[in-house]
Amino acid sequence: MEAALLDATGTGKHGSNNEAEAGAVVREVKKQLYLAGPLVVGFLLQNMVQMVSVMFVGHLGELALASASLATSFAGVTGFSLLAGMACSLDTLCGQAFGAGQHHQLGVYKQRAMVVLALVSVPVAVVWTYTGEILAWCGQDPEIAAGAGSYIRWLIPALFAYGALQCHVRFLQTQNLVVPVMLSAGATAVCHPAVCWLLVRALGLGRNGAALANAVSYLANLSFLAVYVRASPACKSTWTCFSAEAFRGVPDFLKLAVPSAVMVCMEWWSFELLVLLSGLLPNPKLETAVLSICLNTSSLAFMAPLGLGAAVSTRVSNELGAGRPQAARLAARVVVLLALIVGMSEGLVMVLVRDLWGYAYSNEEEVARYTARMMPVLAVSVMLDSQQCVLSGVVRGSGRQKTGAFINLAAYYLAGIPAAFAFAFVCHLGGMGLWFGILCGLVVQMLSLLSVTLCTNWNEEALNAKSRVFSDALPVDMET
């Protein structure tokens, strides 16, 4: 009688539904945090490799530091951003294949990506060979240009190791094997200072030794992961052996890889443009110094959303590949809430430490005061950046990189950079104006990605994933 009354009023039914939904949300949060935690640590440790190398060069003198910094920036724009972007296509391919149970396809996709990225690295390496001449032609100081050219030539081996490393990381990430990625990055980061000391100091290679140290550490990281992939029982079904299939289907791979690269590069390059524009402002030394502090701080804060973005791309791709569109939809909604919490927490910390943060980078009071004024603006950008990062992960997980590429192009190059130029040079707001422009780009990017996510037909995306994974097989009913 009591049960009938509960059903008649709907209390029992609705209560049960609410409990089930709450349980699903909690389980999804746990899954995403399990993935994101090790990935955040791994990304931080990977970034330490470049940072430690530049620190070693900094102790060799002002010219060496300027040359290495310029070369690192040029390498990021012309090489590393391109390879990282193309490797992001594996978020879709490997993630959806793993969810669909087509485990053997993951090894094929990884090999195919490694082949393509190695081929792309060849023309990039040729460009790097002539970096000194290119920079001198662009008006850079001849000594700095020559030093940067020498540094980046020694960085060429790192280019080839980096592409293969990114493929291995995403191969494991999409199988939820994130702890090995973190441990490998940790072992590399611990050993890297010793490698730098050996090559820079003991062998007397100077700044070129620091560049070579990057290659050694990337190769060591790659070797750790390669051994794990081949020896671990966890990868027994996803990695069998090298296959001739890797050389087939390259055009289909490029259909995802090229938009993935554009999506990453459009955003990466926009921040490099800010540095160039800061050099044209009145008092360029102060403006460039403060902007560098802001960019470093933003990059540090970006690691947590980056981990969440990688986690949700895995969750969405796995669930779509498995034919569970509502689970993918739940993953997208949960990560937006997690990113909001992370972004607000990081923004609050930035506001609280604004008067002290500048002194961590400089003893100049003028730099510290300017940094303190910038920190609230930076806090807002970090909150927006956290949202766009996880929404970009949703886009990658569902295989809509082409949409993401158009959004990033419009957000930064039709809105962000023009607004930055207007605020900085027309409204005379200096470095603050440059960052206001980036805020405009972030707002456009975040709102566009949010609109795409909210308007997603998840059932259709699950069908698209099925078609992508089983393109070489007979269609299988979604319920099987």
Side-chain angles (χ1 to χ4, degrees), residues 375-396:
M375 291 301 278
V377 181
L378 192 61
V380 175
S381 74
V382 164
M383 287 189 284
L384 293 170
D385 214 10
S386 63
Q387 289 296 318
Q388 73 79 16
C389 186
V390 298
L391 291 169
S392 294
V394 174
V395 167
R396 293 197 307 273

Short mmCIF file of all heavy atoms in Angstrom, two decimals, residues 375-396:
data_model
loop_
_atom_site.label_atom_id
_atom_site.label_comp_id
_atom_site.label_asym_id
_atom_site.label_seq_id
_atom_site.Cartn_x
_atom_site.Cartn_y
_atom_site.Cartn_z
N MET A 375 47.40 40.79 -12.74
CA MET A 375 46.95 39.50 -12.22
C MET A 375 45.43 39.31 -12.22
O MET A 375 44.95 38.22 -12.55
CB MET A 375 47.52 39.28 -10.81
CG MET A 375 49.02 39.05 -10.78
SD MET A 375 49.55 37.62 -11.75
CE MET A 375 49.23 36.31 -10.58
N PRO A 376 44.61 40.31 -11.84
CA PRO A 376 43.15 40.09 -11.93
C PRO A 376 42.68 39.80 -13.36
O PRO A 376 41.78 38.98 -13.56
CB PRO A 376 42.57 41.41 -11.40
CG PRO A 376 43.63 41.97 -10.51
CD PRO A 376 44.93 41.60 -11.18
N VAL A 377 43.28 40.49 -14.33
CA VAL A 377 42.93 40.23 -15.73
C VAL A 377 43.36 38.82 -16.11
O VAL A 377 42.63 38.08 -16.79
CB VAL A 377 43.61 41.26 -16.66
CG1 VAL A 377 43.23 41.01 -18.12
CG2 VAL A 377 43.25 42.67 -16.25
N LEU A 378 44.53 38.43 -15.64
CA LEU A 378 45.04 37.08 -15.91
C LEU A 378 44.14 36.03 -15.26
O LEU A 378 43.91 34.96 -15.84
CB LEU A 378 46.47 36.96 -15.36
CG LEU A 378 47.28 35.73 -15.78
CD1 LEU A 378 47.47 35.71 -17.28
CD2 LEU A 378 48.62 35.73 -15.07
N ALA A 379 43.61 36.34 -14.08
CA ALA A 379 42.71 35.41 -13.39
C ALA A 379 41.45 35.15 -14.21
O ALA A 379 40.99 34.00 -14.32
CB ALA A 379 42.34 35.96 -12.02
N VAL A 380 40.90 36.19 -14.82
CA VAL A 380 39.71 36.03 -15.66
C VAL A 380 40.05 35.19 -16.88
O VAL A 380 39.29 34.30 -17.28
CB VAL A 380 39.16 37.40 -16.09
CG1 VAL A 380 37.99 37.22 -17.07
CG2 VAL A 380 38.71 38.20 -14.88
N SER A 381 41.22 35.44 -17.47
CA SER A 381 41.60 34.68 -18.67
C SER A 381 41.81 33.21 -18.34
O SER A 381 41.49 32.33 -19.15
CB SER A 381 42.87 35.27 -19.30
OG SER A 381 44.02 34.97 -18.55
N VAL A 382 42.34 32.92 -17.15
CA VAL A 382 42.55 31.53 -16.74
C VAL A 382 41.21 30.81 -16.59
O VAL A 382 41.07 29.65 -16.98
CB VAL A 382 43.36 31.47 -15.43
CG1 VAL A 382 43.27 30.09 -14.78
CG2 VAL A 382 44.82 31.81 -15.70
N MET A 383 40.21 31.48 -16.04
CA MET A 383 38.88 30.87 -15.90
C MET A 383 38.27 30.56 -17.27
O MET A 383 37.68 29.50 -17.48
CB MET A 383 37.97 31.78 -15.09
CG MET A 383 38.32 31.81 -13.60
SD MET A 383 37.10 32.68 -12.59
CE MET A 383 37.50 34.39 -12.99
N LEU A 384 38.43 31.50 -18.20
CA LEU A 384 37.91 31.27 -19.56
C LEU A 384 38.71 30.18 -20.27
O LEU A 384 38.15 29.34 -20.97
CB LEU A 384 37.96 32.57 -20.36
CG LEU A 384 37.02 33.70 -19.92
CD1 LEU A 384 37.36 34.99 -20.66
CD2 LEU A 384 35.57 33.31 -20.17
N ASP A 385 40.02 30.22 -20.06
CA ASP A 385 40.90 29.26 -20.72
C ASP A 385 40.62 27.83 -20.26
O ASP A 385 40.70 26.88 -21.05
CB ASP A 385 42.36 29.61 -20.42
CG ASP A 385 43.28 29.29 -21.59
OD1 ASP A 385 42.76 28.97 -22.68
OD2 ASP A 385 44.50 29.34 -21.40
N SER A 386 40.27 27.68 -18.98
CA SER A 386 39.97 26.34 -18.48
C SER A 386 38.73 25.77 -19.16
O SER A 386 38.68 24.58 -19.49
CB SER A 386 39.78 26.37 -16.96
OG SER A 386 38.67 27.16 -16.60
N GLN A 387 37.74 26.64 -19.42
CA GLN A 387 36.53 26.19 -20.09
C GLN A 387 36.80 25.82 -21.56
O GLN A 387 36.37 24.77 -22.04
CB GLN A 387 35.45 27.27 -20.02
CG GLN A 387 34.86 27.48 -18.64
CD GLN A 387 34.11 26.26 -18.14
OE1 GLN A 387 33.38 25.62 -18.88
NE2 GLN A 387 34.31 25.91 -16.89
N GLN A 388 37.52 26.70 -22.27
CA GLN A 388 37.76 26.38 -23.68
C GLN A 388 38.63 25.14 -23.83
O GLN A 388 38.48 24.39 -24.79
CB GLN A 388 38.40 27.58 -24.40
CG GLN A 388 39.85 27.89 -24.09
CD GLN A 388 40.84 27.00 -24.84
OE1 GLN A 388 40.48 26.33 -25.80
NE2 GLN A 388 42.08 26.98 -24.37
N CYS A 389 39.52 24.90 -22.87
CA CYS A 389 40.41 23.74 -22.96
C CYS A 389 39.62 22.43 -22.87
O CYS A 389 39.83 21.52 -23.66
CB CYS A 389 41.46 23.81 -21.85
SG CYS A 389 42.70 22.51 -21.97
N VAL A 390 38.69 22.35 -21.90
CA VAL A 390 37.93 21.11 -21.77
C VAL A 390 36.91 20.96 -22.89
O VAL A 390 36.65 19.84 -23.36
CB VAL A 390 37.25 21.02 -20.39
CG1 VAL A 390 38.28 21.01 -19.27
CG2 VAL A 390 36.24 22.14 -20.17
N LEU A 391 36.35 22.08 -23.35
CA LEU A 391 35.42 22.01 -24.48
C LEU A 391 36.15 21.59 -25.76
O LEU A 391 35.60 20.88 -26.60
CB LEU A 391 34.72 23.34 -24.67
CG LEU A 391 33.73 23.72 -23.56
CD1 LEU A 391 33.28 25.17 -23.70
CD2 LEU A 391 32.52 22.79 -23.57
N SER A 392 37.41 22.02 -25.89
CA SER A 392 38.23 21.55 -27.02
C SER A 392 38.45 20.05 -26.92
O SER A 392 38.49 19.34 -27.94
CB SER A 392 39.57 22.28 -27.05
OG SER A 392 39.40 23.66 -27.32
N GLY A 393 38.61 19.55 -25.69
CA GLY A 393 38.75 18.11 -25.49
C GLY A 393 37.51 17.35 -25.92
O GLY A 393 37.61 16.27 -26.51
N VAL A 394 36.33 17.91 -25.66
CA VAL A 394 35.08 17.30 -26.12
C VAL A 394 35.04 17.26 -27.65
O VAL A 394 34.64 16.25 -28.25
CB VAL A 394 33.86 18.08 -25.57
CG1 VAL A 394 32.56 17.54 -26.17
CG2 VAL A 394 33.81 18.00 -24.04
N VAL A 395 35.47 18.34 -28.28
CA VAL A 395 35.50 18.41 -29.74
C VAL A 395 36.44 17.35 -30.31
O VAL A 395 36.11 16.64 -31.28
CB VAL A 395 35.92 19.83 -30.20
CG1 VAL A 395 36.26 19.84 -31.69
CG2 VAL A 395 34.80 20.82 -29.92
N ARG A 396 37.62 17.21 -29.71
CA ARG A 396 38.57 16.19 -30.18
C ARG A 396 38.02 14.79 -29.99
O ARG A 396 38.17 13.92 -30.84
CB ARG A 396 39.91 16.32 -29.46
CG ARG A 396 40.68 17.58 -29.76
CD ARG A 396 42.14 17.44 -29.34
NE ARG A 396 42.27 17.03 -27.93
CZ ARG A 396 42.29 17.85 -26.91
NH1 ARG A 396 42.17 19.16 -27.11
NH2 ARG A 396 42.44 17.40 -25.68
#
